[in-house]
Amino acid sequence: MSVDTLSPLPGRKQSLLSRLFSRPLDVVISVTVLLFAASVLWQLSKWAIIDAVWTSPDATSEVCRGVSGACWAVIDVRWRLIVFGLFPYEEQWRSSLACIVMVIVAILSCVPMFWTAIRLSALWIVGFSIFYALMAGGVLGLTPIAPDKWGGLTLTVFIYAAGMLIGMPMAIALALMRRATLPVIARTTGIIIDSVRSLPLITILFTAALVLPFVLPEWLLGDKIWRVILGFALFFAAYEAENIRSGIQALPSGQEEAARALGLTYWQRTSRIILPQALRNALPPTINQFVISFKETSLIVIIGFFDVMASGKAAYGSGEWSFAWVEVYVFVALIYFIFVFSLSRYGAYLERRLRVGQH
Amino acid sequence: MSETAIQIRNMNKFFGTFHVLKNINLEVAASERIVICGPSGSGKSTLIRCINRLEEHQDGSINVLGTELDDNVSHIDQIRREVGMVFQHFNLFPHLTVLENCTLAPMLARKTPRGDAEAAAMRYLERVRIPEQAAKFPGELSGGQQQRVAIARALCMAPKILLFDEPTSALDPEMISEVLDVMVSLAKDGMTMICVTHEMGFARQVADRVIFMDKGEIVEEGAPADFFGAPRNERTRQFLNQILSH
């Protein structure tokens, strides 16, 4: 037999077929499962696409009467409420622009070109300034709009971005303080972290929004939205600090020793040797924490903020569309999915990138 | 008589209640090459780690190049800049390239401009004969290459004293000689060196003085010829028999 006639390795399709249909029992199981999957998929696409109603010409729910498929018309009619919340209708272009600015800043800060302290801070300062000017108004002839009118996806994105941006430096500080050589600092930090972790986020948000006004003097209060963001950041920081600490703990003691032997100071050792490696080690749990925190933003509804989840609920809540709650929740879920899935894909990219040349 | 590089007087160190170093007295002259040997747990690594304050001593005094090693942080930083150290497990920074490993400390601790630091780093990498690896990461190199980078990294700070803490113990046998060759050439150039090592061939070839430690004490010291030829202490004889017999 010549070399040419030897069969090549079976292709992916061939090997899949032979694995699923090699023995009689395999055939039975495979066929049953495939039929079941196909029927589910058929039902689903019939509901979501084939029998669905996409638009409502007169902006009422009449078009969906007696239709067996999904009534996506509710999204068509009410998407502004979901995305912008109670933001005044004629000013909603500001909210959408602000949301886009925030997302663009977030995407840009994921690009390695911006990874210097100056560029990153400049980027976020500019980003937040534009966002705030657009949302709050009062400058450049924009009508002032109070934060309790902000809402929807824009509010979710804002609270999340601000919370993470304040929370991450807090987390690093807590992690370093917990490893301080002075026992007083290390133990106090430990107690702070443990206390925050043992409270539910709802309690912290509730305290920040409703209890603090009774405790703090007027000048220290600030707007409710900032107290809520700080509470959110603190909650994130307590968990993330432990992730970072685990990353530091995983470093061999020789790293710190070599840096000390070279005459580097504490801050030089920390910023150049310890943290870059520790943050890389802590990347998977960190992404995890970021993902969890994004979904936790929906809790701000209990203190009167209309995030994307709450305004979604408002979108079907007004009698006329109350039958279409599934469609609205599917739409909101899709928004969450897009954000969280991009985040986890970015995490995977970072892991690949940071592994270069290291074993 | 040349000037004194290191002076250790009546030094004691404890790990908790365990007395690791007992009344150590040691004077090292500039350009002197010293080899410290002894069974494991004898305190030899701890002794050299006290010289740059990786370990703190509890009693007695250590003076390095005229600076007293006390709790004053600026004294400690001063000494660490002048004393280089090479570790058993290399301890290179895995997230930095070979070149960055070499330039980091001069740029941060000595404020050397990047260009000068890189030129010096390339010179020292040539000296340890691996300039072609400058752009690689430590994880891509063999053990012997990594240890040579570690030596170059220490040299980049232009230290007056080099401490070697069992630099060949973690290496595969065929890589030991490439590291020892570099150490021999440094010794020939007049570097003040203290080496904790079991490489007795190296000790014979370059050491001015060999020190034998056991149970936290300096048991015996002398020129290599005397030390290996006619050890006076019974414990020294036993140790030499054990490590030279195979």
Side-chain angles (χ1 to χ4, degrees):
Chain A
M1 203 157 80
S2 82
V3 179
D4 300 298
T5 58
L6 283 171
S7 74
L9 286 171
R12 189 177 287 184
K13 192 175 159 193
Q14 209 174 340
S15 94
L16 193 67
L17 282 180
S18 69
R19 262 197 269 170
L20 292 182
F21 299 100
S22 55
R23 289 174 301 169
L25 184 63
D26 289 354
V27 175
V28 172
I29 294 174
S30 299
V31 168
T32 316
V33 170
L34 285 176
L35 279 178
F36 180 72
S39 92
V40 167
L41 208 66
W42 168 245
Q43 291 296 332
L44 206 60
S45 49
K46 213 161 121 63
W47 175 80
I49 300 166
I50 299 167
D51 292 342
V53 177
W54 296 89
T55 53
S56 167
D58 56 353
T60 64
S61 57
E62 284 305 309
V63 280
C64 293
R65 194 169 291 263
V67 172
S68 63
C71 180
W72 297 119
V74 66
I75 310 297
D76 180 43
V77 175
R78 292 292 174 89
W79 68 271
R80 276 172 174 264
L81 182 60
I82 299 175
V83 175
F84 304 123
L86 300 174
F87 210 74
Y89 186 85
E90 59 283 4
E91 303 286 351
Q92 282 177 359
W93 61 272
R94 281 162 56 182
S95 184
S96 61
L97 206 56
C99 188
I100 290 169
V101 165
M102 202 84 302
V103 171
I104 286 178
V105 166
I107 290 174
L108 282 183
S109 59
C110 293
V111 178
M113 203 188 90
F114 282 94
W115 289 352
T116 68
I118 298 170
R119 284 181 193 177
L120 265 189
S121 27
L123 185 68
W124 280 97
I125 289 170
V126 169
F128 269 113
S129 312
I130 297 176
F131 181 93
Y132 212 77
L134 278 170
M135 290 301 282
V139 288
L140 300 168
L142 297 172
T143 339
I145 295 169
D148 57 345
K149 286 273 192 304
W150 302 4
L153 180 62
T154 312
L155 182 69
T156 298
V157 168
F158 173 65
I159 290 198
Y160 180 65
M164 296 304 98
L165 212 62
I166 298 169
M168 199 61 192
M170 255 164 103
I172 292 175
L174 286 175
L176 292 176
M177 279 161 66
R178 190 154 195 189
R179 290 177 47 85
T181 40
L182 278 181
V184 185
I185 296 180
R187 279 189 205 140
T188 314
T189 314
I191 291 172
I192 293 175
I193 291 176
D194 285 342
S195 313
V196 175
R197 283 196 305 178
S198 52
L199 295 172
L201 179 57
I202 286 190
T203 322
I204 292 177
L205 295 180
F206 203 71
T207 309
L210 305 174
V211 180
L212 281 187
F214 294 109
V215 184
L216 290 181
E218 188 78 28
W219 55 271
L220 221 127
L221 270 181
D223 194 274
K224 185 166 83 168
I225 198 167
W226 286 110
R227 296 202 301 276
V228 165
I229 286 172
L230 280 180
F232 192 57
L234 180 69
F235 190 75
F236 168 80
Y239 284 89
E240 179 56 17
E242 290 295 279
N243 290 341
I244 295 173
R245 194 167 68 95
S246 75
I248 299 178
Q249 224 85 302
L251 294 181
S253 61
Q255 290 293 307
E256 171 93 28
E257 280 177 4
R260 278 158 73 193
L262 284 166
L264 301 184
T265 63
Y266 173 80
W267 290 112
Q268 291 169 341
R269 297 198 298 269
T270 304
S271 65
R272 308 302 285 272
I273 306 300
I274 304 300
L275 279 182
Q277 297 187 66
L279 292 176
R280 189 196 57 161
N281 289 343
L283 194 62
T286 297
I287 294 293
N288 200 23
Q289 204 61 50
F290 270 85
V291 165
I292 291 173
S293 298
F294 186 75
K295 292 181 291 184
E296 276 172 341
T297 51
S298 59
L299 286 175
I300 60 174
V301 66
I302 64 133
I303 41 161
F305 282 112
F306 273 82
D307 75 307
V308 67
M309 188 75 176
S311 51
K313 205 169 172 188
Y316 73 78
S318 60
E320 186 189 2
W321 292 101
S322 56
F323 64 91
W325 53 276
V326 174
E327 287 82 346
V328 171
Y329 278 132
V330 167
F331 180 68
V332 173
L334 198 66
I335 294 178
Y336 276 103
F337 179 80
I338 289 169
F339 271 83
V340 170
F341 191 70
S342 329
L343 204 58
S344 69
R345 285 296 83 203
Y346 177 63
Y349 156 77
L350 269 189
E351 272 181 59
R352 275 198 309 278
R353 189 190 149 86
L354 296 179
R355 209 167 37 222
V356 171
Q358 298 179 28
H359 303 282
Chain B
M1 182 69 200
S2 61
E3 56 184 304
T4 306
I6 301 172
Q7 191 167 47
I8 302 176
R9 283 213 190 107
N10 303 325
M11 192 260 276
N12 284 283
K13 160 140 194 78
F14 299 84
F15 282 136
T17 54
F18 179 57
H19 202 171
V20 217
L21 292 174
K22 297 168 187 161
N23 199 33
I24 301 289
N25 282 285
L26 178 65
E27 199 158 309
V28 182
S31 295
E32 196 175 11
R33 280 91 59 174
I34 289 186
V35 165
I36 303 178
C37 59
S40 80
S42 59
K44 48 198 194 310
S45 286
T46 311
L47 172 59
I48 66 166
R49 286 161 62 87
C50 281
I51 295 173
N52 63 354
R53 231 342 136 83
L54 290 186
E55 302 287 355
E56 196 177 336
H57 60 281
Q58 275 77 41
D59 183 35
S61 72
I62 299 178
N63 188 300
V64 183
L65 300 162
T67 306
E68 196 64 31
L69 184 60
D70 46 28
D71 290 333
N72 187 328
V73 177
S74 69
H75 288 177
I76 297 174
D77 285 345
Q78 164 78 17
I79 289 172
R80 283 181 180 159
R81 283 195 292 268
E82 303 301 335
V83 179
M85 189 164 202
V86 177
F87 299 86
Q88 180 178 0
H89 295 289
F90 332 135
N91 298 350
L92 293 174
F93 305 130
H95 61 303
L96 302 177
T97 64
V98 165
L99 188 65
E100 288 165 340
N101 263 279
C102 292
T103 55
L104 183 76
M107 284 167 61
L108 292 177
R110 289 214 194 274
K111 311 287 174 218
T112 312
R114 177 183 292 274
D116 298 355
E118 284 180 354
M122 286 314 294
R123 246 190 348 267
Y124 288 118
L125 286 174
E126 261 158 48
R127 165 116 207 229
V128 300
R129 295 192 300 276
I130 40 175
E132 72 281 0
Q133 312 285 9
K136 288 197 183 164
F137 286 92
E140 298 170 288
L141 306 183
S142 72
Q145 290 173 322
Q146 290 194 47
Q147 193 60 297
R148 286 185 282 148
V149 171
I151 294 174
R153 176 176 72 176
L155 289 174
C156 281
M157 283 294 281
K160 300 201 171 63
I161 300 169
L162 267 186
L163 307 173
F164 290 86
D165 188 2
E166 307 205 27
T168 55
S169 303
L171 295 176
D172 290 335
E174 74 272 20
M175 293 171 182
I176 290 176
S177 67
E178 63 188 66
V179 171
L180 287 180
D181 288 348
V182 170
M183 291 169 64
V184 169
S185 99
L186 285 172
K188 282 185 180 142
D189 288 357
M191 175 66 78
T192 311
M193 294 164 69
I194 303 183
C195 312
V196 171
T197 181
H198 293 141
E199 296 298 329
M200 291 303 129
F202 172 78
R204 277 208 180 89
Q205 191 184 348
V206 304
D208 296 310
R209 218 172 353 142
V210 182
I211 291 174
F212 173 70
M213 286 182 73
D214 190 20
K215 300 192 176 102
E217 293 170 307
I218 294 182
V219 174
E220 182 164 352
E221 57 181 299
D226 304 331
F227 183 87
F228 292 111
R232 295 184 301 273
N233 192 292
E234 175 56 33
R235 281 191 275 175
T236 319
R237 275 197 290 274
Q238 262 180 13
F239 176 74
L240 288 177
N241 272 337
Q242 274 167 0
I243 66 164
L244 295 176
S245 61
H246 61 256

